[in-house]
Amino acid sequence: MKPLKRPVRRGILVAHVAVSVSWLGLTVGLLTLGITAFATEDPVTADAATRSMKIYGDWLVVPVALLALVSGLVLSLGTPWGLARHRWVWTKFWLTLVTTGLSIFSLRPGINAAAADGVVNIDLVIAPSVATATYLFITAISVLKPWGLTRRGRRLRISASSAKSVDARSPRQTA
């Protein structure tokens, strides 16, 4: 993919951070509602909490998850970070892909079943808890950028540095 121009890259970066923070906030909201539904003795409160979770799940989970995935993918492919050059980017990609799939194919059906049946179980607490911990981990590695290059990243860096050293010794100008 061709590198993104600076204004485009910055716009996508802002969108990616905003939607990723929204996904984290959405999950914390789902966790709060799940704990409320599971812990309350009042059936009316439990029903209201599961119906609220259903609204979040029906209207927000899928678009927010997909926007986080797509914006991150565009950023990784359109910047020098690359998708498979740095371990932290590669890890973020796979965790985002897995959590997007789980949000769509596991979390939403679980919320819908609880709202339809009126039966609240611990799954309404566990799923958002795991998701929140995962998003916090993804946020931490985004800030800290640990682990260095992947094999592919090392190979690309070596080939780029050897090409530069050949160009520097050459009396002719290169493109």
Side-chain angles (χ1 to χ4, degrees), residues 96-164:
T96 303
L97 187 65
V98 167
T99 53
T100 298
L102 289 173
S103 295
I104 294 169
F105 299 113
S106 181
L107 178 64
R108 281 192 64 227
I111 292 170
N112 290 340
D117 301 340
V119 177
V120 179
N121 58 29
I122 194 70
D123 292 344
L124 290 182
V125 176
I126 292 173
S129 297
V130 171
T132 300
T134 303
Y135 304 147
L136 287 172
F137 177 73
I138 289 171
T139 301
I141 64 174
S142 296
V143 172
L144 301 174
K145 298 173 181 43
W147 308 318
L149 297 170
T150 62
R151 267 190 240 155
R152 181 177 190 276
R154 285 191 300 271
R155 197 170 53 246
L156 289 171
R157 183 170 283 174
I158 289 168
S159 67
S161 67
S162 65
K164 284 180 184 176

Side-chain angles (χ1 to χ4, degrees), residues 80-94 145-158:
W81 289 111
L83 181 61
R85 290 182 184 170
H86 298 269
R87 286 190 177 105
W88 70 271
V89 176
W90 192 236
T91 302
K92 272 186 65 170
F93 168 72
W94 283 106
K145 298 173 181 43
W147 308 318
L149 297 170
T150 62
R151 267 190 240 155
R152 181 177 190 276
R154 285 191 300 271
R155 197 170 53 246
L156 289 171
R157 183 170 283 174
I158 289 168

